[in-house]
Amino acid sequence: AEQRIADAVLLMGVKDYDRAADVLSGIVEQYPNHPTAYADCISLLGETYFLSKQYLSARRKFTQILDSTDERRFGRYRERAVIRMVDIALRLRDFASLDALFSKVSGLSGAATSGLSYAQGKGLLAQDKLAAADAALQGVQAASQYYPQSRYLLGVIATRQATPPPPLPGKKRVPVPKSAFVKSIGLFRAV
């Protein structure tokens, strides 16, 4: 199983997603009780579908990972699954599904990790819930791989908060003082 997984990863690397999905699906069917290969393949299948823009299939695989809370072999893939579920919702413009995802995530063990905070902040920003997005993104630790992205999104939030709403029809736009964007500029420079 491990050798076939390596073959599938190589196929993914050369963007041959159809063949990679075939190899991974074969492993899933042949080794459903394998302690590591099965979970590896479900995660890689989700990633393969995501990269090939088959978002509904990808969502199905990542949901399978999140729904397998009683199986330890899926534990290390949950954070990535949540991040990809948010990415899928954003690409499909299915912002309504994010609330259900976030409630499911709050019940996961280890739900306070940086990746989950980043995913939640990104989703809340897409829903235009700026204060909640800011709070979630503040939970991303400096040592996390998602720290630079979270700081960038904090700059986006600060910019949105400082930007006045568009003028009513027939009204002139009021100039915004440069000082309104000091916080945003500082956040973007830090990134």
Side-chain angles (χ1 to χ4, degrees), residues 55-176:
Y55 298 126
L56 298 178
S57 296
R59 179 166 40 191
R60 191 175 59 251
K61 291 301 173 189
F62 292 127
T63 299
Q64 183 178 351
I65 291 170
L66 295 179
D67 288 346
S68 301
T69 55
D70 57 335
E71 292 189 61
R72 292 186 59 196
R73 61 185 175 170
F74 287 104
R76 66 184 187 152
Y77 300 109
R78 289 193 182 103
E79 180 183 62
R80 182 69 177 170
V82 171
I83 292 167
R84 282 302 195 205
M85 292 284 284
V86 170
D87 289 339
I88 291 165
L90 297 181
R91 281 167 175 75
L92 296 176
R93 306 200 60 72
D94 182 15
F95 304 131
S97 69
L98 291 172
D99 292 329
L101 175 65
F102 296 150
S103 67
K104 184 185 283 191
V105 168
S106 67
L108 290 176
S109 60
T113 64
S114 291
L116 296 179
S117 295
Y118 167 70
Q120 189 168 15
K122 187 176 175 180
L124 290 167
L125 176 59
Q127 291 178 318
D128 210 29
K129 297 177 181 176
L130 301 181
D134 186 285
L137 291 167
Q138 294 294 342
V140 178
Q141 302 297 315
S144 169
Q145 67 179 355
Y146 302 105
Y147 186 76
Q149 295 99 311
S150 69
R151 299 300 106 174
Y152 175 81
L153 292 178
L154 286 170
V156 171
I157 291 168
T159 302
R160 281 180 147 180
Q161 289 172 332
T163 304
L168 296 172
K171 299 283 183 177
K172 253 177 91 175
R173 181 176 287 267
V174 177
V176 180

